[in-house]
Amino acid sequence: MEWYWILIIMMGSLTFLLCLGLPVAFSLGFLSMIAALIFFPGTTGLYGVALAGYGHMSSFTLVCVPLFILMAQIVMYCELGKDTYDVADRFMRSLPGGLGITSTCFGAIFGAVCGASTAGTATVGLLSLPEMLRRKYDQGMAGAIVAFSGALSILIPPSVILILYGTLANESIGALFAGGIIPGILMTVVGMVYIWLIVLIKPSMAPRDDTRFTWKEKFTSLWKVWSLLVVVLLLLGTIYTGIATPTEASAIACLAVFGIACLRGTMNLAILRKCIIHTVRTTAMIGWIIIGATSFGYVIIYSGCAQQLTDWVVGLPVSPMFIVAVLMLGYLLLGMFLDPAAIVMMTTPIILPILLALEINILWFGILMTVNMCCGNISPPMGLNLYVVKGLMPDQINMKQLFVGAIPFIVIDVLVIAVLMIFPALTTWLPSIMIPT
């Protein structure tokens, strides 16, 4: 059978299983076992599938995944971001769409201590959504702002998505973290400018608040951000000074967040239990997806399909940038229906040989893909962040309006992808001047 028929049958079967409602991890694992029995004699393929999954799960780098998730849960449930949000609000409240701009700014700041999009969305939403609706913000725009702000957590380091991609692509996690900083700031600024402009053009979208703070009140409130600042400095500082690897830094930062929560008196056994349970559930889900995805990638590679696909793509009379654009379009479509972590782990083993053959910068592509995953988190019909927002205020938020409100922010993400494709140095410059570990 020709290689392209094998790929079509494999991808078609995967789509069918997902449409039946079977979890991504088990869909991938089931197909891997069936394909292994078909492509390899006896039980040889099954041993290979098992070893492929075990090989990636035994990676020391992945230890930081549960630690970053636990850190995000502690920050969320212990309300460590509330003071930082209040400070940002004091500086930006008077602007057109000030509360929305504050939410976006806070989403970026919170992203520096939270690598999980859903935790970021929930935290931003709990702090800002009730107030935005109280101030008569357009509910679709308000909800979309929260979803967009939460999505910044998977681009601005630390990022669970970047860790997973780096593990699969054998790329430095520290370099990926550095590469995500400028694109994360860019996406934040573009989002804030959009909110400011749309409210300036159509003030009814977000009525302005008359409350004003003096410059003295603004600057004297800055001491409140000390807790998140300490965590960010510990996390990124230890990585880029070479004191610790990203995995070790995740443990240091997680311990720091726990200590700060205890000092502030917001941590108790009930909250700790809740944080640990959520961390275990999320980590288990990611772990099973890793096993399923790496097994699926093993079958695709050792069946010869990956090499044949690579040879075919390399032989096309088009530029590598065109191939990247096509892949970005494919990721946009996948993001409408699948979880970002699943997409990254499913596709990376397949596209990596193509990227290497075309001499495409692996780090640059990883950041492009992560921005794309931010877009997927807010893309109807399955954008997870949109449903998190709906769950925060189910009676006040209309899903249709939320979908419509998300469209401009999807456009923003696509524009950022285009800018990063035109100016790759925005991604590669910062890692080049740092010494990742």
Side-chain angles (χ1 to χ4, degrees), residues 336-337 379-383 387 403:
M336 295 180 181
F337 303 100
S379 295
M382 298 297 292
Y387 291 95
F403 282 173

Side-chain angles (χ1 to χ4, degrees), residues 18-353:
L18 293 174
C19 290
L20 288 179
L22 193 66
V24 173
F26 301 138
S27 297
L28 291 166
F30 175 73
L31 274 179
S32 301
M33 289 188 293
I34 297 298
L37 289 172
I38 294 172
F39 295 135
F40 305 97
T43 58
T44 305
L46 291 178
Y47 282 118
V49 165
L51 288 173
Y54 173 77
H56 272 289
M57 283 303 295
S58 62
S59 171
F60 177 68
T61 305
L62 290 176
V63 172
C64 62
V65 172
L67 289 170
F68 281 134
I69 293 172
L70 178 59
M71 185 170 72
Q73 296 295 327
I74 293 173
V75 171
M76 180 173 68
Y77 285 111
C78 294
E79 299 182 349
L80 297 186
K82 187 176 184 303
D83 287 341
T84 305
Y85 181 85
D86 291 340
V87 173
D89 188 34
R90 290 195 177 201
F91 278 87
M92 300 175 185
R93 181 188 288 251
S94 60
L95 298 172
L99 192 54
I101 294 174
T102 298
S103 300
T104 305
C105 179
F106 174 72
I109 297 170
F110 187 75
V113 293
C114 171
S117 178
T118 50
T121 302
T123 302
V124 176
L126 288 170
L127 290 173
S128 67
L129 197 54
E131 186 65 14
M132 280 196 279
L133 295 181
R134 188 186 70 80
R135 296 185 194 178
K136 307 299 181 185
Y137 272 55
D138 176 83
Q139 62 174 260
M141 186 182 78
I145 288 171
V146 171
F148 172 79
S149 304
L152 294 171
S153 294
I154 65 172
L155 178 60
I156 296 174
S159 163
V160 172
I161 295 295
L162 288 177
I163 293 168
L164 297 176
Y165 173 79
T167 303
L168 293 170
N170 198 28
E171 181 62 75
S172 164
I173 304 299
L176 285 167
F177 280 3
I181 293 174
I182 293 178
I185 293 172
L186 175 64
M187 198 153 75
T188 303
V189 171
V190 174
M192 292 167 67
V193 170
Y194 163 74
I195 296 168
W196 178 76
L197 283 175
I198 196 67
V199 174
L200 205 62
I201 295 168
K202 195 175 180 182
S204 61
M205 295 285 285
R208 298 181 72 166
D209 190 345
D210 294 331
T211 307
R212 296 291 183 272
F213 294 96
T214 64
W215 284 106
K216 181 180 179 181
E217 290 174 324
K218 291 176 182 179
F219 283 108
T220 53
S221 69
L222 287 174
W223 69 270
K224 294 182 179 180
V225 304
W226 72 269
S227 56
L228 288 187
L229 185 61
V230 166
V231 175
V232 172
L233 289 176
L234 277 174
L235 179 61
L236 299 182
T238 52
I239 292 174
Y240 295 116
T241 56
I243 296 173
T245 66
T247 305
E248 294 163 345
S250 67
I252 295 170
C254 189
L255 182 62
V257 166
F258 178 77
I260 291 169
C262 290
L263 285 174
R264 291 165 61 101
T266 54
M267 173 59 75
N268 56 50
L269 286 177
I271 289 177
L272 182 60
R273 181 176 181 273
K274 189 184 297 185
C275 292
I276 292 173
I277 288 173
H278 279 283
T279 301
V280 170
R281 286 176 178 170
T282 305
T283 304
M285 179 268 291
I286 291 174
W288 278 112
I289 293 176
I290 291 173
I291 292 172
T294 50
S295 300
F296 188 75
Y298 168 84
V299 172
I300 294 293
I301 290 169
Y302 285 94
S303 66
C305 291
Q307 186 58 51
Q308 295 282 354
L309 176 62
T310 300
D311 293 341
W312 177 73
V313 172
V314 171
L316 291 174
V318 295
S319 68
M321 193 63 74
F322 179 81
I323 300 297
V324 172
V326 171
L327 289 172
M328 288 298 109
L329 178 60
Y331 278 122
L332 284 172
L333 296 175
L334 287 174
M336 295 180 181
F337 303 100
L338 294 174
D339 177 75
I343 295 171
V344 171
M345 287 182 281
M346 284 168 51
T347 60
T348 301
I350 298 173
I351 66 166
L352 189 60

